[in-house]
Structures are given as C-alpha cells and as structure tokens.
Amino acid sequence: MKLSRARLAVVIGLAGMLLLVAVIVSPMLLMSMPSFLGNGGVSVDCEDTAQVEDASDSASADIPGEYLDLYKEYGKEIGVQWNILAAVGKRETDHGRSSLPGVKSGTNSAGAAGPMQFLISTWGGKARIPVSSTFNGYASDGDDDGVADVYNPADAILGAAKMLKRNGAPENVRQALFVYNRAWWYVDQVEEIARKYAKSGAVKVPPQASEDCDEPLVEAAPNDVVAKILQYALAQRGKPYLWGGTGPDSFDCSGVIYAAYQQAGLSIPRTTFGQWPFGIKVLEGEEQPGDLVFFNAGPGTSANNPGHVGLVVSKGKMLEARCRLCGPIKVTSYQARVGRVGFTRPLQNPDVLEQLKKLQNPSL
C-alpha cells in the first residue's frame, strides 16, 4: 500500500518524536537505576564481610591440609588473599614438598630459605630467632613456640602474609608480589595459580577499595562536616605518597588528613606528632568516620608518640598514605594492622568546636 505524501510526512514526524523521546528518557532511566549498580551494570557489594574465598576442588586436591589451613588463617588475620599466599607457596616450593636446597635446611644460591623462600636478610638475619629478640624483618612466630623459624610452615606463611600486606596487598596485589620477587613473569604466574585455587576463579580485592563504594561511605557519615572530610579524602585515593606532602598532587599520612579537614573549613595540626595529642581519645569500638587511628611506626616513635595515622572512613576501614614503597593512597583495614595504639576525635577538640560554631554562624 502506498502512502500519500501527507501521510508519509506524518509517519516520519511521529518516528522522529519517538526517537527524541527515547534520547531524552534513556539517560533518565539510566540515572534512576539502583545505586548498587556500578560500572557496566555490575553489582558492587560495598559491605565488608571478612568472608574467606572458598577453595576450588583443585586447591583442595593440591594443597596439603595443614598448609591450606595456615594460608586461610593468616590470610584472614593479616588481611591478604589466602589464595595469593597459597600461590606463592606453590610457586616457591610446591607447599614445602620441593627437595631443592634451602627448603628444609640451609639456603639456595640466592640466600633464600623455607617453604616461602624468604631471603635470610629479610627474615631477620638468621633462620631461627627467639621472638624476644630485637630484629628487623618479617620473622614471625605463627605456632607460638617462642621461635620465629623460617623453615616452620606456620611461621613462614605468617611472615609472608605480613610482607605482602606491607607492600600493597590486598588492594594492590601485583605490586606486593613484585616486591616479593622482582619479576613481572613471576607476578603473572602467581596470579594464574591463585585464580585456579579460588572457587570463584578470581583474585578478589576488598570491595571498599573500589571507587564505586565512595558514595555509600560519604552518605553514611554521621554529619555534613564529616561527609565533606571523607569526600575530599577519598578523592585523593590513587595519588602517590610524598613525605611532607599536603597536596594537591601527593600527600603523606598526616598531610592528606590535614588537607581533608581544611577542605571542610577546619584547622588541625599538620603532623602526626601534633595530631595525636590534639584530638579527644576514643575507646576502641567507639570510633566513627572522621576519627583518626594511630600506629607505632617509623623511627623514633612509640606507643606514646605514634608516627603513622589514618583517617577512619567506616568501621574497620581507613584511608591512608602509608609510605613511598607501599603504593598510592588507598582504603585499607586497620583491624589487622600491627602497632595500632589508639583513636582520637579531632572534632571534639575545643579549638575545633569553636571553629564549627563560626562555620555555622559566621557573625560570631
């Protein structure tokens, strides 16, 4: 059936109107999609569950039961992916089953020893160290026998977990593995093994390490001031650490907190040593977003003079600029971190309370 020119014009006009409506409505529909959908429509779970990744059938078949338990136990305790720990153990010594030199005694040609192949120099200078000794390194006493033994699976796996954590895991696993053994082919091999060991077939990162989870953190802030502090601090994630840095391109641990409070119109001390006595002390378990969490870390520091600080963004999580070799600014767990000495609330300092009054009533 042929349409008259008039009718054809009407049809074309209606089609154009429908196309225009679609162009206008489609973005509106996308904007109204549930907020739990992240990039590409993939669901992003921003709850921190502390659940352990299930082991695949191949992992259960390949990893000795004692080792699998230790990988899971210390992965959860320290806060790194157990399957990454297990993959390191597999790649280094086949979970202690290798007969090569250095696995059960002595060292290999590179000076490494034990099931996780620690360089003796990074373990603490010798293979077996009483835990009461003063030493620098990753020597650990996983079985509580009073000795950090590089050949003991419990001790070695705990030490490896601490080393991976120190160098970027669980957020930046590839960097942590590169520090463990400085070769990218090694990193690729370990990640491939780790994926096979996980039932999900993936190396998972903490959900709150994703920028998709920033908005829920800000929305959960106890008040608008804390929301402004969190919003600025979280936006600095991914920027490099720089000692003495206060932005905008790089920060140190106290510098990013100082800048975040400034963004909210508040002035607090610039350094960790100044921030520690400034805030009102908060009992563990009562900390909330906007509070500061301090650690006994760095030369010349102590429990009464902590040298590292993070910004609490949710229960158990903090934003921190840790060190030059620790990767960029990121959200990490403070619950598993050793050396934690306490929490403070700068917003309860009398000077800050006065500043808040002036912000609410500029005529004062």
Side-chain angles (χ1 to χ4, degrees):
M1 181 180 69
K2 293 184 178 180
L3 295 175
S4 67
R5 289 185 177 180
R7 288 183 177 179
L8 184 60
V10 170
V11 171
I12 293 174
L14 287 173
M17 290 178 65
L18 288 173
L19 180 61
L20 179 62
V21 169
V23 170
I24 295 173
V25 171
S26 294
M28 295 175 65
L29 288 173
L30 288 173
M31 290 174 66
S32 65
M33 294 284 278
S35 60
F36 57 80
L37 292 183
N39 295 333
V42 178
S43 176
V44 178
D45 181 8
C46 294
E47 293 296 321
D48 186 22
T49 60
Q51 291 180 348
V52 176
E53 170 78 77
D54 290 332
S56 65
D57 292 341
S58 63
S60 299
D62 183 49
I63 305 172
E66 175 195 3
Y67 275 73
L68 182 57
D69 290 343
L70 291 171
Y71 292 137
K72 288 187 173 183
E73 178 183 352
Y74 293 127
K76 185 175 182 179
E77 178 181 323
I78 301 304
V80 301
Q81 298 90 336
W82 76 263
N83 53 323
I84 286 290
L85 267 178
V88 170
K90 174 68 175 179
R91 177 62 185 76
E92 295 291 351
T93 67
D94 192 21
H95 311 299
R97 292 177 292 211
S98 172
S99 59
L100 291 172
V103 176
K104 297 180 175 63
S105 63
T107 64
N108 64 13
S109 59
M116 302 303 281
Q117 289 293 277
F118 269 96
L119 291 173
I120 293 299
S121 59
T122 62
W123 184 253
K126 52 186 178 179
R128 295 180 177 87
I129 303 173
V131 292
S132 59
S133 299
T134 300
F135 59 87
N136 292 314
Y138 293 100
S140 303
D141 181 18
D143 60 356
D144 295 323
D145 66 351
V147 177
D149 184 349
V150 75
Y151 305 107
N152 183 307
D155 297 355
I157 292 170
L158 176 57
K162 291 179 179 179
M163 186 174 187
L164 291 170
K165 179 74 172 182
R166 175 69 173 77
N167 291 299
E171 296 83 9
N172 194 340
V173 172
R174 290 185 63 81
Q175 174 185 280
L177 290 172
F178 183 79
V179 175
Y180 202 97
N181 189 335
R182 294 182 179 276
W184 289 113
W185 57 261
Y186 174 88
V187 175
D188 293 338
Q189 288 182 6
V190 170
E191 283 198 316
E192 182 180 357
I193 297 169
R195 285 191 289 270
K196 291 178 180 178
Y197 279 169
K199 192 171 185 178
S200 67
V203 176
K204 293 185 176 180
V205 298
Q208 290 188 25
S210 167
E211 292 181 5
D212 293 319
C213 295
D214 286 359
E215 187 173 343
L217 292 175
V218 174
E219 290 178 349
N223 54 58
D224 291 342
V225 173
V226 174
K228 289 180 181 178
I229 293 170
L230 296 187
Q231 191 168 30
Y232 179 87
L234 290 166
Q236 311 316 306
R237 184 167 47 195
K239 293 183 179 180
Y241 174 95
L242 176 66
W243 187 82
T246 54
D249 299 321
S250 55
F251 300 84
D252 65 11
C253 64
S254 56
V256 67
I257 295 170
Y258 172 78
Y261 270 76
Q262 268 197 329
Q263 187 68 20
L266 301 173
S267 178
I268 65 172
R270 159 65 186 90
T271 68
T272 304
F273 299 118
Q275 291 173 2
W276 168 243
F278 182 78
I280 302 302
K281 299 297 186 292
V282 176
L283 294 176
E284 182 172 352
E286 296 181 4
E287 71 275 10
Q288 63 185 27
D291 291 346
L292 308 187
V293 53
F294 292 84
F295 301 87
N296 180 11
T301 68
S302 66
N304 295 320
N305 193 37
H308 181 61
V309 61
L311 174 69
V312 177
V313 297
S314 69
K315 190 68 72 175
K317 294 290 183 179
M318 64 179 173
L319 179 127
E320 67 168 339
R322 190 171 182 183
C323 73
R324 185 177 61 84
L325 297 177
C326 303
I329 297 170
K330 54 185 173 283
V331 174
T332 64
S333 169
Y334 60 74
Q335 289 180 323
R337 184 72 63 81
V338 297
R340 190 172 74 245
V341 300
F343 302 86
T344 70
R345 187 164 297 158
L347 292 175
Q348 290 297 313
N349 177 278
D351 290 344
V352 174
L353 291 174
E354 286 298 317
Q355 295 175 44
L356 288 169
K357 286 181 181 178
K358 291 181 180 179
L359 287 174
Q360 294 168 358
N361 189 353
S363 62
L364 291 178

